[in-house]
């Protein structure tokens, strides 16, 4: 089996966008930061902070010192393929408890063959199901792509009543978490910073339904907006509540376009 290495990709430096493009257009990277020891044909798993395991690739050329970065080595990558949705760090920690790297995932590493095979299994499962775990603990640590995927889940036409109830419940929870994630600590109406942090450290905002739901219909990310408590009260109790709600509908539609 080829050796597996975990490497890093950034968001602000453009890596994430580039990986998406590379996967679409079958591009290779001339020099990605990798462990010095890589061999041609080795597998790399690219970790992007806030998303998790984001893509896989193969080593195309041996590692050479990077002139722009002391003590770092770069190697060519090809066969870049996204993992959709990316596997959140919470899921990685739960499924691969022996992977010490996951406690503080800021470095590059070459896990043992035993752990490497667990990583490959987790990735191939994800590629097959295209779904994260659906339990509350998993949703609580899911990344925004995983949450969106769950938020848009639909029951198979043949689903039983019980399956429908489960899907309805996880969807509602995922939409709630997705909206708070999308809001990213700011009211999606007035842009104010969340008034405080909750016990779990997350900024406090309230999901608000801009459209009254039919009893059987689950929510949709484009119909729920993350509000500060003032805007939320306004949406329900202000004399201009109807007008305000219409403006919220337009805002959230723009956010989800
Ligand atoms: Zn607000």
């Amino acid at each position: 089996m080829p050796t597996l290495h975990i490497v890093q990709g950034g968001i602000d430096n453009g890596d994430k966008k580039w990986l998406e493009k590379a996967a679409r257009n079958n591009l290779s990277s001339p020099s990605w930061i990798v462990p010095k020891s890589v061999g041609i044909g080795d597998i790399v798993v690219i970790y992007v902070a806030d998303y998790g395991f984001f893509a896989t690739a193969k080593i195309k050329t041996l590692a050479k010192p990077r002139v722009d970065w002391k003590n770092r080595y770069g190697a060519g990558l090809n066969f870049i393929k996204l993992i959709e949705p990316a596997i959140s760090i919470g899921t990685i920690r739960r499924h691969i408890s022996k992977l010490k790297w996951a406690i503080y995932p800021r470095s590059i590493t070459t896990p043992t063959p035993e752990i490497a095979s667990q990583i490959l299994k987790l990735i191939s499962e994800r590629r097959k199901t295209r779904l994260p775990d659906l339990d509350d603990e998993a949703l609580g640590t899911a990344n925004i792509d995983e949450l969106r995927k769950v938020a848009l889940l639909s029951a198979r036409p043949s689903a039983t009543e019980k399956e429908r109830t489960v899907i309805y419940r996880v969807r509602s929870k995922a939409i709630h978490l997705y909206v708070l994630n999308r809001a990213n600590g700011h009211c999606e109406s007035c842009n104010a910073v969340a008034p405080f942090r909750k016990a779990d450290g997350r900024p406090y905002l309230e999901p608000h339904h801009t459209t009254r739901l039919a009893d059987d219909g689950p929510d949709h990310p484009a119909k729920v907006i993350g509000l500060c408590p003032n805007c939320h009260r306004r949406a329900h109790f202000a004399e201009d509540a109807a007008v305000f709600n219409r403006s919220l509908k337009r805002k959230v539609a723009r956010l989800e376009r």
Side-chain angles (χ1 to χ4, degrees):
M1 201 180 81
T3 307
L4 179 146
H5 312 274
I6 299 174
V7 303
Q8 299 279 328
I11 297 175
D12 296 340
N13 67 4
D15 286 347
K16 176 176 173 281
K17 275 221 169 78
W18 186 83
L19 288 167
E20 287 162 349
K21 194 172 103 189
R24 266 197 314 276
N25 302 309
N26 203 12
L27 307 178
S28 340
S29 164
S31 179
W32 203 274
I33 305 279
V34 295
K36 188 180 171 184
S37 65
V38 295
I40 290 169
D42 282 359
I43 301 166
V44 298
V45 178
I46 302 166
Y47 174 83
V48 173
D50 293 339
Y51 285 84
F53 286 160
F54 190 78
T56 55
K58 283 193 173 160
I59 297 287
K60 187 184 172 189
T61 59
L62 291 174
K64 285 201 202 104
R66 286 269 298 231
V67 284
D68 54 338
W69 207 340
K70 218 178 157 214
N71 298 327
R72 295 285 180 161
Y73 287 77
L77 301 184
N78 59 6
F79 296 107
I80 294 162
K81 219 174 131 193
L82 300 182
I83 300 165
E84 295 177 286
I87 303 172
S88 66
I89 188 65
T91 299
I92 297 166
R93 285 180 192 140
R94 269 198 320 281
H95 284 259
I96 312 170
S97 52
K98 282 191 191 155
L99 178 59
K100 294 250 166 47
W101 166 89
I103 299 166
Y104 191 73
R106 296 264 174 103
S107 54
I108 56 178
T109 186
T110 304
T112 64
E114 185 204 345
I115 291 174
S117 77
Q118 290 173 15
I119 292 172
L120 289 176
K121 191 169 151 234
L122 183 64
I123 293 170
S124 89
E125 275 295 308
R126 174 58 58 94
R127 282 184 166 145
K128 211 157 52 194
T129 64
R130 301 175 74 90
L131 261 186
D133 300 336
L134 296 179
D135 58 283
D136 285 356
E137 194 198 339
L139 289 182
T141 60
N143 64 44
I144 192 162
D145 286 350
E146 290 174 326
L147 291 170
R148 191 158 212 287
K149 196 84 195 175
V150 179
L152 296 172
L153 260 186
S154 55
R156 288 172 292 117
S158 61
T160 62
E161 196 58 37
K162 198 176 161 196
E163 285 168 337
R164 279 172 206 283
T165 309
V166 170
I167 287 178
Y168 183 89
R169 201 186 62 79
V170 297
R171 271 195 70 170
S172 303
K173 180 158 174 118
I175 288 172
H176 183 127
L177 291 167
Y178 170 82
V179 166
L180 299 181
N181 227 296
R182 187 184 64 200
N184 197 18
H186 291 261
C187 172
E188 289 184 314
S189 174
C190 72
N191 214 28
V193 176
F196 55 88
R197 281 178 188 278
K198 292 185 289 180
D200 64 6
R202 295 182 197 221
Y204 181 82
L205 291 169
E206 300 174 352
H208 169 67
H209 303 259
T210 59
T211 307
R212 192 170 287 281
L213 298 166
D215 286 339
D216 56 339
D219 296 330
H220 186 281
K223 290 182 177 154
V224 185
I225 190 165
L227 297 179
C228 70
N230 279 343
C231 286
H232 197 194
R233 295 298 95 188
R234 183 176 169 192
H236 285 287
F237 299 114
E239 58 178 352
D240 70 344
V243 179
F244 185 57
N245 251 302
R246 280 198 291 280
S247 79
L248 296 179
K249 269 187 203 179
R250 285 193 298 273
K251 268 184 187 145
V252 77
R254 272 200 303 276
L255 291 171
E256 283 295 316
R257 199 161 43 202

